[in-house]
Amino acid sequence: VRSRSIVLRRRPNGLPVTDDFELVEAQLPALGDGAFLARLLSIGPDAGVVSRLREGANYRAGIAIGEVIGSNGVAEVIATRNQDVEVGRLLYGPFGWREHEIRESVDGLFDVDPARPLTAPLGLLGLHGLTAYVGLLEIAKPRPGETVVVSAAAGAVGLIVGQLAKIHGCRVVGITGGPEKARRVVQEFGLDACVDYRAAEFPAQLSELCPEGVDIYFDNVGGDIQDAVVPLFNSFGRFVICGRIALTRLTNMELDVGRRDYNTVLVKELRKEGFLVYSHLHRLREAQEHLWRWHSEGRLELPESIVEGFERLPEAFVGMLAGENIGRRIVHIADPEHR
Amino acid sequence: VRSRSIVLRRRPNGLPVTDDFELVEAQLPALGDGAFLARLLSIGPDAGVVSRLREGANYRAGIAIGEVIGSNGVAEVIATRNQDVEVGRLLYGPFGWREHEIRESVDGLFDVDPARPLTAPLGLLGLHGLTAYVGLLEIAKPRPGETVVVSAAAGAVGLIVGQLAKIHGCRVVGITGGPEKARRVVQEFGLDACVDYRAAEFPAQLSELCPEGVDIYFDNVGGDIQDAVVPLFNSFGRFVICGRIALTRLTNMELDVGRRDYNTVLVKELRKEGFLVYSHLHRLREAQEHLWRWHSEGRLELPESIVEGFERLPEAFVGMLAGENIGRRIVHIADPEHR
C-alpha cells in the first residue's frame, strides 16, 4: 500500500503558508506482530500546531523539518496483527497528517461512537466541546438573564460556548473578525448579536449591545480585545481565560501579554480564571452526554466546516489561521470501509 | 462641653502631610430630642481616606475643605435623649475625627463586646479581620502544606492573613517594606519568612524562600510587586486581589494598573479574584467568633500599633501611609467612663 503524508518542509516565517508543508508518498511497511493499520477518515488541524512548528522554547514538543505534522483525527482500523484491536474499530485522538498510520497500541486514543457523526469527536464531542462545557458551565457558571460575551465567537469553541450560554438562558454577544462571520454567528447559531472587532466603532457597538453590562467574558483570544470588554463588567463578573489565539500570531511565545484590569478586578470583585482542557479530561464522557442530548434536541448545532481531500490539509490549516472559516475546520479524507 | 475635631485644611498635593489637617475646637450644641452624645475612645485612620481627600472622580464620596475627616472608631454613649440608646453603650463604626459626636440613631454602627479589647473592633474583630478571614479562607481556600505569599505583610490585614495561613498549616512568606518590619513580622507574628521588596535582590530572595512555588498570593498592594510573585505560581494557584495601597500613592486614581500575567493565568490555570469586604458584612459575626477563638488560644496576635492622644491623629495617619508602623494603627483617645 502506498500512502501519503504531510511533513514540515521549512519553518514558517511568521504565520504558516502552504509552501511550508510538503506532501510526500511512500510505501507502507509490513505490519509487525502486535501492530495495526489505521486509515484516517478525517483530521482536524488546530491552532496549537503553530507553536510546534517554531524553533525555540517549545522545541522539545516541536516538529522537526521533514517530520510529519500532528493533529487530532478519526481513523478506522483496516488491518491488524494485534489481538486486542479488531478491524473496523473506530478511534480518535492524536494522529499524524497521514492517510494511514501504523500503531502498536490504542493508548491515548478513544473509541468513536458509530451512531454519531464521525466528525463529532473532532469538535462538539471532543476537546472543543469539553472546553466550552467546562469553561462556561463549570468555571463561569452562567445564570439565566446574565449577559455573556464570547470572543472568537465563530471559532470551534466559541460557537459552542455561545450556544450553551443561550441554552442556559443568557443574552449572548459574540465578538469575531469580519461582518460576514458576525452575521452567520447570529443567523445560523442563534446568538443575540455579534460584533466585528476590526470595526472602528467596535468598543461603542459592544457597549450598546450589552445595555445591562457584562457578567461573563469567555475569552478565546487574549490581546487587545479585552480592553473593550473589561470596562463593561458588572460586579461579580467572571472572566474565563480559555485561549490565546492572539498570542499564536506573535513570534515570541514567551511574551506574557497582560492588560490593565487590576483595578477593575478589585472594585468589580471579578473572578478571572484560566483553565486548560487537559486538566478536565475525566469529564469528557459527562460532557459528551450533555452536549449530544442538546444536539439531538435541536438546540446545539455542530460547529463544523468541512474541507474535502487529504492533500488540502495545509490549505485548510492556513485558511483557518487566517480566520476564513466558521466553526471547527475538519478535513474529510475517507469514509469507513467496515461500518 | 467643648470638643475638638480635625478637618481638612487643604487638599493634599500627593500623599497627605500633617499640615493638610487642622485641629479645631467648638462648643457642642445641646442634645436635641432623640439624639445621643458619643465620646470617641479610639479611632483607626485608614488608607481609604486618601482618595476621599482628593478632588475629582470620587468627589461625591469625598471630603470638602473644612469638613471633618472620617474613619472607623469606637465610642461610648455618655449622654442620651434617645430612649433606645442607653448611657454606657459601646458602639463602633464610621465616626468623624472628633472627640465627641452627636447622633440620632445607631444605624450603621455595631455594638462592641466589653469583654474583649475595646480596640479589637478596629482591627482583628472588625473589617480588617473580616477582610483577612473572607479573602484567605473563603476566596483563596488554603490547604495544609501550601505556600502562601502575602504583600503588605506588616499591615493590619496582612498580619492577620499571615497568621491565619499559619493556623491552616501553610508555609507563609510575607512581603513588606524595610528589613526591620520584615524581622518583626517573623519574630512577633510567626511567619516563616518575610522579604523587603525594596531590596535589590527581592525577586531572587522571594524565589529562594518559596522553593516549592507559590499556591496563594494575597495581594494588598497592587503595582509592581506582583511581577516577582506571578512567575513563581504553581498550577491552580489563587491570586486574591484585596487592596491597592500602591494605587493610593498615585495621583490619578482612575489609572487601571495591570500586569503582564495573562499567559500565566492561562497556562498555570490560576484563579485571580478581587473582592471588597463590604460584600461580606453578613459574615462579620462568624468571622469574629473564629478570630476571637484563635486569639484566645494564643495562635493569633492582635495586630495593633497604638498612638496616644486625639491631637496626634494626623501624624498617626501620615506615618501609617509612609509605612512606618506594623499592624493596625489606632489612636487612643479616652477610656470608657461607664464600663
Side-chain angles (χ1 to χ4, degrees):
Chain A
V1 186
R2 288 189 73 78
S3 178
R4 296 181 295 175
S5 57
I6 292 165
V7 302
L8 181 63
R9 187 168 148 255
R10 62 180 187 200
R11 298 216 172 277
N13 179 15
L15 271 188
V17 296
T18 54
D19 278 354
D20 297 331
F21 303 94
E22 188 169 7
L23 189 72
V24 297
E25 191 172 324
Q27 188 76 22
L28 285 174
L31 273 187
D33 194 34
F36 62 89
L37 178 65
R39 182 182 187 191
L40 271 296
L41 306 180
S42 55
I43 288 176
D46 57 275
V49 169
V50 176
S51 61
R52 301 181 57 219
L53 299 181
R54 290 192 180 122
E55 211 154 12
N58 292 308
Y59 187 70
R60 272 187 300 183
I63 295 168
I65 305 286
E67 196 182 333
V68 175
I69 317 297
S71 287
N72 279 322
V74 173
E76 181 188 31
V77 177
I78 59 170
T80 184
R81 292 189 61 194
N82 181 318
Q83 62 183 12
D84 298 330
V85 185
E86 70 284 12
V87 165
R89 185 161 171 186
L90 295 167
L91 296 163
Y92 87 96
F95 282 97
W97 288 11
R98 291 184 171 101
E99 288 182 299
H100 300 85
E101 189 160 309
I102 294 172
R103 294 257 187 153
E104 311 230 309
S105 122
V106 295
D107 285 358
L109 300 176
F110 299 85
D111 282 295
V112 174
D113 183 344
R116 297 175 182 176
L118 294 188
T119 49
L122 298 178
L124 185 67
L125 301 184
L127 295 187
H128 296 76
L130 180 61
T131 299
Y133 181 87
V134 167
L136 184 73
L137 304 186
E138 183 72 17
I139 296 181
K141 294 190 169 62
R143 292 183 284 264
E146 288 193 320
T147 296
V148 175
V149 171
V150 54
S151 64
V157 170
L159 277 180
I160 305 173
V161 169
Q163 295 182 89
L164 286 183
K166 285 302 297 175
I167 289 170
H168 286 80
C170 298
R171 171 171 176 79
V172 186
V173 178
I175 299 174
T176 188
E180 170 65 9
K181 284 202 291 187
R183 188 189 60 73
R184 289 185 58 194
V185 163
V186 172
Q187 290 188 354
E188 298 174 22
F189 294 90
L191 271 65
D192 294 291
C194 191
V195 283
D196 174 9
Y197 70 83
R198 297 171 187 161
E201 60 277 28
F202 159 59
Q205 283 178 344
L206 185 67
S207 173
E208 255 172 55
L209 290 168
C210 303
E212 294 178 38
V214 172
D215 300 294
I216 292 171
Y217 177 40
F218 194 106
D219 187 18
N220 290 302
V221 297
D224 291 338
I225 289 176
Q226 80 162 69
D227 290 352
V229 183
V230 167
L232 307 179
F233 260 119
N234 293 324
S235 286
F236 307 107
R238 287 83 78 200
F239 184 152
V240 179
I241 300 185
C242 169
R244 43 176 179 171
I245 295 172
L247 301 190
T248 69
R249 306 235 164 113
L250 302 170
T251 304
N252 179 3
M253 290 294 291
E254 291 296 282
L255 187 68
D256 216 0
V257 173
R259 312 306 308 170
R260 298 176 167 243
D261 62 9
Y262 187 95
N263 207 35
T264 309
V265 172
L266 174 59
V267 301
K268 292 289 183 67
E269 304 180 72
L270 305 184
R271 175 161 57 84
K272 187 172 178 179
E273 193 160 346
F275 79 105
L276 300 174
V277 69
Y278 306 102
S279 298
H280 302 269
L281 294 180
H282 58 285
R283 301 189 59 184
L284 182 58
R285 188 168 295 267
E286 167 202 337
Q288 285 170 335
E289 295 314 308
H290 284 96
L291 294 166
W292 183 252
R293 178 166 55 78
W294 287 317
H295 174 69
S296 308
E297 293 168 358
R299 305 166 76 190
L300 183 52
E301 296 294 321
L302 287 179
E304 297 181 350
S305 154
I306 310 274
V307 169
E308 194 61 48
F310 176 76
E311 65 284 356
R312 292 179 66 197
L313 253 169
E315 170 196 333
F317 176 59
V318 167
M320 178 200 73
L321 293 175
E324 74 179 25
N325 63 290
I326 180 162
R328 173 72 162 133
R329 179 142 277 190
I330 294 170
V331 175
H332 176 257
I333 300 166
D335 289 323
E337 297 170 20
H338 303 272
R339 200 181 172 178
Chain B
V1 185
R2 289 190 72 79
S3 178
R4 296 181 296 175
S5 57
I6 292 166
V7 302
L8 181 64
R9 189 170 147 253
R10 63 180 186 201
R11 298 216 172 277
N13 179 16
L15 271 188
V17 296
T18 53
D19 278 354
D20 296 331
F21 303 95
E22 187 168 9
L23 188 73
V24 299
E25 190 172 325
Q27 187 77 20
L28 285 175
L31 272 188
D33 195 32
F36 62 90
L37 179 64
R39 182 180 187 195
L40 271 296
L41 306 180
S42 55
I43 288 177
D46 58 275
V49 169
V50 176
S51 62
R52 301 181 55 219
L53 299 181
R54 292 195 178 117
E55 209 152 14
N58 291 310
Y59 189 70
R60 272 187 298 183
I63 295 167
I65 305 285
E67 196 181 334
V68 174
I69 317 297
S71 287
N72 279 322
V74 174
E76 181 188 33
V77 177
I78 59 170
T80 184
R81 291 190 61 196
N82 181 317
Q83 61 183 14
D84 298 327
V85 184
E86 71 285 13
V87 164
R89 184 163 171 184
L90 295 167
L91 296 163
Y92 87 96
F95 282 98
W97 287 10
R98 291 182 171 102
E99 289 182 299
H100 301 86
E101 188 161 309
I102 294 171
R103 294 256 188 154
E104 311 232 308
S105 123
V106 294
D107 286 357
L109 300 175
F110 299 84
D111 282 294
V112 174
D113 182 344
R116 298 176 180 175
L118 294 188
T119 49
L122 299 177
L124 185 67
L125 302 183
L127 295 187
H128 296 76
L130 180 61
T131 298
Y133 180 87
V134 167
L136 185 73
L137 304 186
E138 182 72 17
I139 296 181
K141 294 190 169 59
R143 291 183 285 264
E146 288 193 322
T147 297
V148 175
V149 171
V150 54
S151 64
V157 171
L159 277 180
I160 305 172
V161 169
Q163 295 182 90
L164 286 183
K166 285 303 297 176
I167 289 169
H168 285 80
C170 299
R171 171 172 176 78
V172 186
V173 178
I175 299 173
T176 188
E180 171 64 11
K181 284 201 292 186
R183 188 190 60 74
R184 290 185 58 195
V185 163
V186 172
Q187 291 188 354
E188 298 174 24
F189 294 90
L191 271 64
D192 294 291
C194 190
V195 283
D196 173 11
Y197 70 84
R198 297 170 188 163
E201 60 277 29
F202 159 59
Q205 283 179 343
L206 185 67
S207 174
E208 256 172 55
L209 290 168
C210 303
E212 295 178 36
V214 172
D215 300 294
I216 291 171
Y217 177 40
F218 194 105
D219 187 18
N220 290 303
V221 297
D224 291 337
I225 289 176
Q226 79 163 70
D227 290 351
V229 183
V230 168
L232 307 178
F233 260 120
N234 294 324
S235 286
F236 307 106
R238 287 83 77 200
F239 183 154
V240 179
I241 299 185
C242 168
R244 41 175 181 173
I245 294 172
L247 301 190
T248 68
R249 306 235 164 112
L250 302 170
T251 304
N252 179 5
M253 290 296 290
E254 291 295 279
L255 187 67
D256 217 359
V257 173
R259 312 305 309 170
R260 297 176 167 240
D261 63 7
Y262 187 94
N263 208 34
T264 309
V265 172
L266 174 59
V267 301
K268 292 290 183 66
E269 304 180 71
L270 305 184
R271 175 161 56 85
K272 187 172 178 179
E273 192 160 346
F275 79 103
L276 299 174
V277 69
Y278 306 101
S279 299
H280 303 270
L281 294 180
H282 58 285
R283 301 189 58 183
L284 182 59
R285 188 166 295 266
E286 166 201 337
Q288 285 170 335
E289 294 315 308
H290 283 97
L291 294 167
W292 184 252
R293 179 166 54 80
W294 287 317
H295 174 70
S296 307
E297 293 168 359
R299 306 166 76 191
L300 183 54
E301 296 295 321
L302 286 178
E304 296 182 350
S305 156
I306 310 273
V307 169
E308 193 62 46
F310 176 77
E311 65 286 355
R312 291 180 67 199
L313 252 170
E315 170 197 335
F317 176 59
V318 167
M320 178 200 73
L321 293 175
E324 73 178 27
N325 63 291
I326 181 163
R328 174 71 162 133
R329 180 142 276 190
I330 294 170
V331 175
H332 176 257
I333 301 166
D335 289 323
E337 298 170 19
H338 303 274
R339 199 181 175 182

